[in-house]
Amino acid sequence: MPQPDKPSVGLIGLGNLGTAIANLVTTNCCAVIGWEYDAAVVDEINSQHTNQRFLPGISLDHSLRATTDVSQVFGGTEIVFLAIPARFIRPTVQTVVDAGLVSPDTVIVNMAKGIDAETGLTAFQTTEMLFPANPCVMLSGPSIASEFAHGMPTIVVLAGSRDADLMRVSRVLDTRHFRTRFSHDTVGVELGGLLKNIYAIGLGLFDGQGITSLNFRAVYLTIALEEMTRLGVAMGAEAKTFAYLAGMGDLLATSLSGQSHNRHLGELLSQGRDLAAIQQEMGVLPEGYGTLRIALNLAEKLYVSLPLARGLWDVINGRIDADRFIFSFIRDFVED
């Protein structure tokens, strides 16, 4: 049962991660109401206490409520989590912002990892612009939803300007198997969660080519982390952030996960499939694709060299095949 001294919590986006976090918080302490665009998902959560589309095999706490009315999520809630793609944040919450339905005391926690192609803003930058009067917190780190939803342990990072805000959020999240750490480097924590999706595509290329060498993967991921750090520092992040949970931790979790959509994109590319065919099969291209394009543009402006990322872009756009990328990587980074 929700404890009277604990805040009520709202959540925007009952997909894979959103549903897992909503269930975690509900089970842990608090009354949670979550918004989802898909009315069928909302009905299933309320009536059957499952979400087979996004989080199959998990029985949800009966106290978790779902709605298609976004205004209900901001009515009296003290913490609101955002778990939708970056491009949907503004159109989803703009009406409640314009209507003045958001209390300035509500902590807004962004879990989205993407860049809005129209504005060029990251999800956290979009969040801060939409909620300028609110404390905003970034959540990232190794958080494969289907794992912690089954009680498997993990630790994530909460980043924000004030420890008091981070503490408020940690109180509703911390359990025996799900723990949080604090950071003031919101730029680095967000970029770690963004950029790792790019390099997970490369692991998929290796899978599609049947390359299982642990030595090779270790070299690739090490150099990938170096590129992430180089670009992150150029954008104002702290280098040490990338050596911790929101950088290396998230890169390893996503790249090595068999459930990663970005890794699956790489597998399909290695089979010679073009983007149109892949998008038709997957429904929507993973975040890593759009992030890669924007990251290369930023790297060019900031004079940052990203040879791995550039090679992945050439494979995606058919300039080179996966086999050539892999062996160019061996020649350029291993043999030298």
Side-chain angles (χ1 to χ4, degrees):
M1 294 293 292
Q3 300 174 15
D5 61 333
K6 295 284 187 170
S8 60
V9 174
L11 191 139
I12 302 294
L14 290 167
N16 180 248
L17 179 60
T19 301
I21 287 291
N23 195 51
L24 172 81
V25 174
T26 306
T27 305
N28 188 27
C29 64
C30 307
V32 176
I33 180 168
W35 173 90
E36 172 57 39
Y37 176 81
D38 190 333
V41 170
V42 169
D43 180 67
E44 181 186 343
I45 291 173
N46 288 331
S47 61
Q48 301 179 44
H49 311 294
T50 58
N51 186 347
Q52 293 298 333
R53 177 180 176 185
F54 294 113
L55 198 64
I58 298 293
S59 296
L60 303 177
D61 192 289
H62 287 208
S63 299
L64 172 60
R65 295 182 297 128
T67 180
T68 56
D69 182 358
V70 70
S71 65
Q72 292 186 20
V73 174
F74 289 90
T77 49
E78 299 177 45
I79 300 173
V80 173
F81 291 86
L82 302 179
I84 53 178
R87 65 185 181 277
F88 296 136
I89 294 176
R90 183 180 296 275
T92 300
V93 304
Q94 189 72 66
T95 55
V96 295
V97 171
D98 291 343
L101 299 178
V102 184
S103 167
D105 294 327
T106 300
V107 180
I108 309 297
V109 184
N110 176 61
M111 298 191 295
K113 299 172 181 177
I115 299 176
D116 188 325
E118 292 187 7
T119 65
L121 298 175
T122 67
F124 190 69
Q125 289 172 332
T126 299
T127 300
E128 289 188 307
M129 288 188 67
L130 285 167
F131 303 96
N134 293 81
C136 293
V137 170
M138 182 71 210
L139 187 158
S140 192
S143 49
I144 298 172
S146 59
E147 289 194 1
F148 72 77
H150 279 97
M152 299 179 190
T154 193
I155 304 174
V156 300
V157 179
L158 296 173
S161 59
R162 299 196 315 161
D163 287 344
D165 301 326
L166 304 180
M167 191 64 71
R168 286 176 64 188
V169 179
S170 72
R171 289 194 186 105
V172 306
L173 290 173
D174 282 350
T175 68
R176 292 182 62 186
H177 71 276
F178 192 99
R179 307 294 292 178
T180 57
R181 296 291 183 270
F182 294 170
S183 171
H184 295 150
D185 183 15
T186 56
V187 176
V189 169
E190 179 173 32
L191 287 177
L194 267 172
L195 298 176
K196 52 91 176 181
N197 288 326
I198 294 172
Y199 298 97
I201 298 172
L203 257 292
L205 291 177
F206 303 156
D207 292 333
Q209 294 291 305
I211 298 176
T212 59
S213 166
L214 292 179
N215 293 332
F216 188 79
R217 289 166 186 260
V219 171
Y220 172 81
L221 290 172
T222 300
I223 296 171
L225 184 63
E226 181 183 36
E227 285 197 4
M228 289 169 56
T229 305
R230 193 183 304 140
L231 180 58
V233 169
M235 294 178 66
E238 299 176 15
K240 65 181 181 181
T241 300
F242 294 89
Y244 195 46
L245 295 168
M248 179 175 64
D250 208 4
L251 172 65
L252 292 174
T254 299
S255 297
L256 300 179
S257 170
Q259 302 175 48
S260 168
H261 291 162
N262 291 285
R263 182 172 170 179
H264 185 51
L265 171 61
E267 291 175 330
L268 295 175
L269 287 167
S270 73
Q271 297 168 10
R273 311 276 288 278
D274 62 27
L275 278 180
I278 292 173
Q279 184 167 2
Q280 184 174 10
E281 177 176 328
M282 298 187 72
V284 62
L285 292 174
E287 291 284 3
Y289 167 72
T291 301
L292 174 55
R293 177 176 56 82
I294 295 170
L296 288 172
N297 184 42
L298 289 170
E300 181 180 358
K301 294 179 184 300
L302 296 169
Y303 303 99
V304 176
S305 175
L306 302 179
L308 275 188
R310 174 61 63 184
L312 289 170
W313 186 248
D314 288 341
V315 172
I316 287 173
N317 288 278
R319 299 189 185 101
I320 62 174
D321 58 24
D323 186 72
R324 181 178 171 187
F325 166 75
I326 290 168
F327 287 97
S328 294
F329 165 71
I330 294 173
R331 182 186 67 245
D332 296 338
F333 290 100
V334 179
E335 291 184 355
D336 290 347

